[in-house]
Amino acid sequence: MRDMKKKVKGILLSALRFVPLIVCLLCLGVYLFSGNGISVENLEELAPEEPLYAVVFMILLYAFKSLTVFFPIAVLNILGGFLFMPGYALIVNSIGVLVELTISYWAGRISGAGLVERMCAKYPKLGEVLGERESDSLFLTFLLHMVCFLPGDAVSMCFGARKMPFFKFLIGSFLGVLPGMAATTLLGSNITDPTSPAFWIFVGLIAGISALSVLIYFLWKMKHRA
């Protein structure tokens, strides 16, 4: 009987450790559906102080992001850079991006082909790029996740709905997201000192990556028009 009480007590104590994280997630859920704006400052206030909980919190934010499409992923990249040391922030954000890509892909795959038509109607540029092209092109998924004017989650859902092989999709998509994610994460690590040279170096790097992605897109588009 005593052993049973000790086990129950141990389980309850273990569960209590997750109370702060659960409270944060409940607050996050209420906040996300309240219609308030989402910013690094607002999300930082909700983040747990315990490092492990903060990691779980970040991954769950990426999971929420994968199904919402309504706020930019750069906010989470910067938040990760702000909450963790640069090396850890890159790892956490990379895991978060992989989670986001995975959920969006499978949401599209489960939804079926009708989703592609709806997404293309909502985002004409996406329909223009996809067109009748091969749905399993590694370079195409890389390109569409690299360019900055198309919602990444919508792109992932479309490739999922078109049943592109999952690991091929994941590799191409992650490589497309990686440059911008790394730059915005490192920007977040320096966001508390906007007068520092490092801050402006990363701002310039982000601008350069955006310009390069647009250039690659237009060169690719011109090639396919020829």
Side-chain angles (χ1 to χ4, degrees):
M1 190 68 178
R2 287 183 179 180
D3 290 340
M4 180 63 71
K5 287 183 178 179
K6 285 182 179 180
K7 286 182 179 179
V8 172
K9 186 177 180 181
I11 292 171
L12 289 174
L13 289 173
S14 298
L16 286 173
R17 295 175 185 173
F18 291 94
V19 169
L21 181 61
I22 293 170
V23 170
C24 287
L25 291 176
L26 287 173
C27 291
L28 174 64
V30 172
Y31 183 81
L32 287 175
F33 292 103
S34 67
N36 293 323
I38 294 176
S39 66
V40 174
E41 293 81 5
N42 293 335
L43 292 176
E44 188 270 333
E45 291 177 2
L46 295 173
E49 293 184 7
E50 176 65 34
L52 179 60
Y53 294 161
V55 170
V56 175
F57 177 76
M58 281 297 303
I59 302 304
L60 289 172
L61 278 177
Y62 277 100
F64 277 121
K65 164 72 182 84
S66 67
L67 297 175
T68 57
V69 193
F70 69 87
F71 71 95
I73 195 171
V75 171
L76 299 186
N77 297 161
I78 293 172
L79 178 64
F82 181 74
L83 292 177
F84 306 102
M85 296 294 289
Y88 290 113
L90 287 170
I91 293 171
V92 171
N93 281 345
S94 293
I95 295 171
V97 165
L98 290 170
V99 168
E100 182 208 8
L101 291 171
T102 298
I103 294 175
S104 297
Y105 171 90
W106 286 105
R109 184 138 182 176
I110 292 168
S111 298
L115 178 69
V116 178
E117 296 177 4
R118 294 195 296 274
M119 286 295 182
C120 289
K122 188 173 183 180
Y123 305 104
K125 279 284 184 185
L126 180 59
E128 180 184 334
V129 175
L130 287 175
E132 298 299 324
R133 306 187 198 286
E134 290 294 325
S135 61
D136 63 348
S137 168
L138 185 67
F139 179 74
L140 187 57
T141 186
F142 164 82
L143 177 65
L144 292 182
H145 279 94
M146 186 178 185
V147 295
C148 54
F149 54 83
L150 289 171
D153 296 318
V155 171
S156 298
M157 288 178 185
C158 283
F159 280 108
R162 286 190 165 195
K163 297 185 178 179
M164 178 180 184
F166 173 66
F167 287 106
K168 192 174 183 180
F169 158 82
L170 197 62
I171 292 169
S173 301
F174 183 72
L175 291 177
V177 171
L178 184 59
M181 183 272 288
T184 48
T185 298
L186 295 173
L187 175 67
S189 297
N190 295 274
I191 203 168
T192 55
D193 187 10
T195 61
S196 68
F199 177 86
W200 289 105
I201 286 171
F202 291 120
V203 168
L205 185 59
I206 292 168
I209 291 170
S210 298
L212 179 63
S213 70
V214 172
L215 177 62
I216 293 173
Y217 168 73
F218 280 111
L219 290 174
W220 176 85
K221 193 173 179 181
M222 288 173 63
K223 179 181 176 182
H224 281 80
R225 276 182 177 176

